């Protein structure tokens, strides 16, 4: 990153209090900042940090006393910092370009305009890759897959046959879309595999974390709705339906045929049992284990997951059980004494 | 999928009540069905769904009133539907064929008859690949590995050196067989790596889910028994022994040297501590945390895992602890009053 | 493995009681041993196992009666066995050598002396690979990455752009270093992606398990300290800082911006919430869920994690809640009777 304070002020529309010619070489938090870094002050209540920070420049909402750094005054420091990050990312990002000669592209594959396909990519027959897609090295696209325009697929991602990925999706490294659902029928003490002939559909603007698995449907489709974001190491079972603009944190498991609504938030390490419905706008706190359907708008936690306030009341009471045992023993003794006395 | 109702009736040996010439283009559930879809009615108690279903045809055990769809009457609709799925899968599956010129095959490698090796596969020296094996793109097979006949390995799977995979196994994308066990000895405040010189043996008919890891033994072997099925994102530690025809659901962790019996079922997100024995025919409910060995045939749940009925009795009692605290306080007050009175 | 008892005695500096000419072909535990195997007796209290063991030779601290195997007497059988394992590993290991012609290496890449790069590796522009590094097949190294000397990277690992890996690190298959952190800002009912422009730094001697994800920082760095070992299927969020010589077992999740100290031990399937501090020398028992910062040296367990002794006391009391309910009911009845009587 090579910008001056004046460049940043121009980018975010801010007023400079200090030296506009100072070079900015990185972005950082106020505590971690080194000379050359740009920071931002989220709230005036953290203003004390400015006195000790080694940052070269800081985005602030108003002039602050005792600030060694050059200040850039903006309306919304948080947003302005995000603008600088976005600019920085555009500068630093060097996605692959063009179609690498080692990529192996099958028959009847349709490639959109301006597609980038890096080394050792494998695209099977009849796949369709939309305009401006970027496929990093080692990506596998199965036959008859459709990838929407402007989608970004990081190295070593596997998308199995017949799956559909929307526009502007991001798939992180080593994730797997369309592996077989875990379906077997018991037969004579053994497991007979139930064919998994459905597919996965990721709608537009979906993001899938690294090492995450989304299983194909037994039949029909597993669907992740528009704008839904899924973190790393998440397991999405066959025939799961997730609505739009939901967010699923790391290491979560959603069992087969569960239906998750729109704008649902699932905390890290949570689980949802199969064939349940989780309504719109539900929040599941981290480590929640959902064993029954959840009404829209509820905030649940615990295992089995229940209303969060109720769960909290129970959780704080449990450490008192040893004490309860003593008190009940004491009551029994005293009652015995009373009865005898 | 392009079949007519008459083709399906012939395939499953059913009698048609309706139009045999209707085209069937997909498989689906009764609720989700679109025109062109074939469904099945698992039980007569769901017959109401037939009136509203948009399905073109439905597999039924007996003629049902108020059914808009053409009916195909069979003895076991469930099984007949599985037959159609199997047929559909054989039709739609386009596995790679032949040996792709970009595959890199080491020295002294033995390839069976009719092996398919897709682009960018790497097979190290002295590996042996059985007849009819299919290796998708990006697969890595380490040196001295043995892969049994009819085994199917999806893209970007890694099988490390010296491991053995049986016949008819299925390994899903991005899984890893034979990574080092997590073994270190503390030495002067640091961790000294203990070499992991054992291997992994997957017996015949084993299935391994996507993004699942099976660690190699410190010495000796980590073994997954015949017919055992493992879901996605499962961690199998070094020297674990799993018996035959067991089933392990997603996001489970089995710690090092645990011994799991035959026909064991492990629910999603469960864990088994190291060096334990879980007997034959045990069921561990989802999220169970097994901290002691489990006798054969038991059904356990909870953390620490105990008899499921006992765990349920405890689980339903815990939400009453806040109430217990109030009642004990009340008892204490009343007893105090009695003593004073 | 092809050694004689005499070779092993020479390697570990032991005295032979038995036949020095016997061939040793494998390493194993006393119970699992087959003819040809070398074992070790960790403690004299397990001496009974020697009578039944089929092992050819055994490392012992002193001569044991009723031992069918040839004995090799050493000061520390445990350490001697590790020496043999190390020797065996050096013998059996066949890492790739040289630079494979199918590897695709970008512009301005610096390769150290004696680097091995296997088939289908992709190294992006401006990366620097240290002396003696070994990159297995299918590895992806992003642009401007730095890999320290003597580092070993197994197949299908992805290291995204701008990340730094230290000396003597080991990265297991299908792990992912530097995927985007899970950062979004809510905006009009949708999620706006916050650019993740930071990086990941793995210091020297770090080991990362298979299918593990370490996310890049939003800005600044995610850092794993020197000598820290991380097991399989672990999720490390953006901006996490982990100290030196810590050990993190399988299926753990560390949420964003958590700070973990030196020599911390995190048990399997544990979780640490974001923005917390876990002090030096803390132990988190398996399945612990840390929701508040933990002081140095503490041993915590449970969810929410608390002092281990306290947690145990609570845990053992909870199964008595059904009994407590009965006893309190009984007390209430008796008190009622007393008041009436």
């Amino acid at each position: 990153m090579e910008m001056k304070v004046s460049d940043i002020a121009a980018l975010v529309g801010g007023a400079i209090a200090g030296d506009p010619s100072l070079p900015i070489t990185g972005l950082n938090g106020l505590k971690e900042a080194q000379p050359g870094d740009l920071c931002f002050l989220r709230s005036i209540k953290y203003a004390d940090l400015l006195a000790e920070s080694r940052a070269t420049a800081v985005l602030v909402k108003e002039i602050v006393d005792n600030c060694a750094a050059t200040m850039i005054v903006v309306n919304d420091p948080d947003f302005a910092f995000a603008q600088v990050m976005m600019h920085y990312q555009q500068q630093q990002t060097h996605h692959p370009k063009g179609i690498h000669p080692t990529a192996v592209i099958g028959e009847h594959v349709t490639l959109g305009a301006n597609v980038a396909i890096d080394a050792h990519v494998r695209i099977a027959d009849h796949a369709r890759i939309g305009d401006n897609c970027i496929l990093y090295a080692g990506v596998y696209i199965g036959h008859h897959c459709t990838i929407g325009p402007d989608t970004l697929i990081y190295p070593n991602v596997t998308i199995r046959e017949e799956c559909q990925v929307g526009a502007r999706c991001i798939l992180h490294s080593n994730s797997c879309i369309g592996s077989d659902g875990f379906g077997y029928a018991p037969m004579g003490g053994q497991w007979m595999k139930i064919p998994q002939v459905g597919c996965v559909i990721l709608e537009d603007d979906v993001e899938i974390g690294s090492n995450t698995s989304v299983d194909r449907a037994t039949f029909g489709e597993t669907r992740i709705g528009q704008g839904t974001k899924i973190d790393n190491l998440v397991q999405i079972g066959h025939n799961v339906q997730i609505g739009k603009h939901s967010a699923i944190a790391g290491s979560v498991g959603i069992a087969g045929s569960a239906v998750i609504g729109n704008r649902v938030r699932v905390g890290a390490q949570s689980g949802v049992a199969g064939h349940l419905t989780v309504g719109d706008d539900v929040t599941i706190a981290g480590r929640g284990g959902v064993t029954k359907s959840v009404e829209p708008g509820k905030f649940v936690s615990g295992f089995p997951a229940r209303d969060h306030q109720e769960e909290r009341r129970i959780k704080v009471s449990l450490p008192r059980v040893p004490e309860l045992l003593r008190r009940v023993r004491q009551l029994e003794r005293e009652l015995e004494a009373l009865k005898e006395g």
Side-chain angles (χ1 to χ4, degrees), chain A:
Chain A
M1 183 174 184
E2 289 179 36
M3 297 179 84
K4 288 181 181 167
V5 165
S6 55
D7 298 330
I8 286 168
L11 179 69
V12 300
I16 299 169
D19 182 352
S21 70
L22 292 173
I24 297 299
T25 53
L27 305 174
N28 220 331
L30 280 167
K31 285 187 193 168
E32 300 82 9
Q34 299 297 321
D37 283 345
L38 173 75
C39 302
F40 72 109
L41 187 69
R42 175 160 281 159
S43 159
I44 198 72
K45 68 182 170 186
Y46 303 125
D48 287 355
L49 290 172
L50 287 178
E52 296 156 29
S53 179
R54 302 178 66 197
T56 290
V58 60
L59 293 157
V60 292
K61 196 174 163 61
E62 52 194 300
I63 298 289
V64 177
D65 293 340
N66 290 323
C67 176
T70 286
M71 286 175 272
I72 304 173
V73 184
V74 291
N75 203 32
D76 183 344
D78 223 320
F79 182 75
F81 195 75
Q83 280 180 292
V84 179
M85 283 168 71
M86 210 95 72
H87 177 83
Y88 176 48
Q89 190 185 40
Q90 280 159 13
Q91 298 281 315
Q92 91 164 4
T93 300
H94 303 284
H95 289 312
K97 289 199 176 75
I99 298 176
H100 197 275
T102 60
V104 174
I105 299 174
E107 294 178 1
H108 311 292
V109 168
T110 309
L111 298 183
N114 196 32
V115 157
I117 300 179
D118 199 10
H120 312 126
V121 166
R122 174 65 163 122
I123 304 179
D125 299 349
H126 298 281
R128 302 168 66 90
I129 313 293
D131 296 347
N132 308 312
C133 281
I134 299 168
L135 277 56
Y136 270 79
V139 164
Y140 176 83
I141 310 284
H143 66 77
H144 289 97
C145 284
T146 305
I147 312 293
D150 302 299
T151 280
L152 173 58
I153 307 182
Y154 281 107
N156 292 322
V157 168
T158 298
I159 304 179
R160 288 263 309 273
E161 66 278 5
E162 311 271 355
C163 292
Q164 299 171 35
V165 176
R168 297 173 304 280
C169 290
I170 302 174
L171 279 72
H172 287 285
S173 299
N174 301 53
S175 59
C176 177
I177 308 299
S179 39
D180 285 1
F182 195 64
Y184 306 89
M187 202 172 64
Q190 307 194 8
W191 297 109
M192 186 184 72
K193 182 173 174 73
I194 297 171
Q196 305 289 309
V197 300
C199 69
V200 175
I201 296 177
L202 307 183
E203 298 182 356
D204 298 342
D205 302 299
V206 165
E207 189 162 345
I208 301 287
S210 58
N211 285 314
T212 279
S213 295
V214 184
D215 275 354
R216 66 195 312 109
T218 307
F219 47 90
E221 58 200 42
T222 303
R223 180 179 287 266
I224 313 290
Q226 190 196 340
T228 286
K229 313 299 186 186
I230 298 180
D231 200 354
N232 302 339
L233 290 150
V234 172
Q235 149 70 350
I236 307 287
H238 48 180
N239 291 83
V240 165
Q241 309 290 316
I242 303 181
K244 298 182 197 300
H245 309 300
S246 290
I248 298 184
S251 305
V252 164
I254 312 283
S257 299
V259 178
I260 312 284
N262 302 306
R263 297 171 305 278
V264 170
R265 299 178 187 205
V266 184
Q269 296 187 326
S270 293
V272 176
H275 298 272
L276 300 183
T277 298
V278 174
D280 292 345
D281 301 295
V282 164
T283 297
I284 302 169
R287 293 211 155 192
V290 176
T291 58
K292 292 187 299 191
S293 291
V294 182
E295 296 291 305
K298 296 270 286 180
F299 180 177
V300 300
S301 66
F303 173 58
R306 53 170 67 91
D307 174 78
H308 182 58
Q309 289 309 324
E310 195 185 329
E311 172 69 12
R312 276 172 64 108
R313 206 162 48 235
I314 297 165
K315 272 272 186 193
V316 299
S317 77
L318 298 185
R320 299 185 63 186
V321 171
E323 169 206 323
L324 264 181
L325 282 161
R326 284 193 303 275
R327 285 164 68 184
V328 167
R329 186 79 201 98
Q330 178 66 17
L331 279 168
E332 287 166 341
R333 277 200 209 99
E334 292 186 15
L335 196 66
E336 201 57 35
L338 261 188
K339 288 197 294 189
E340 287 173 2

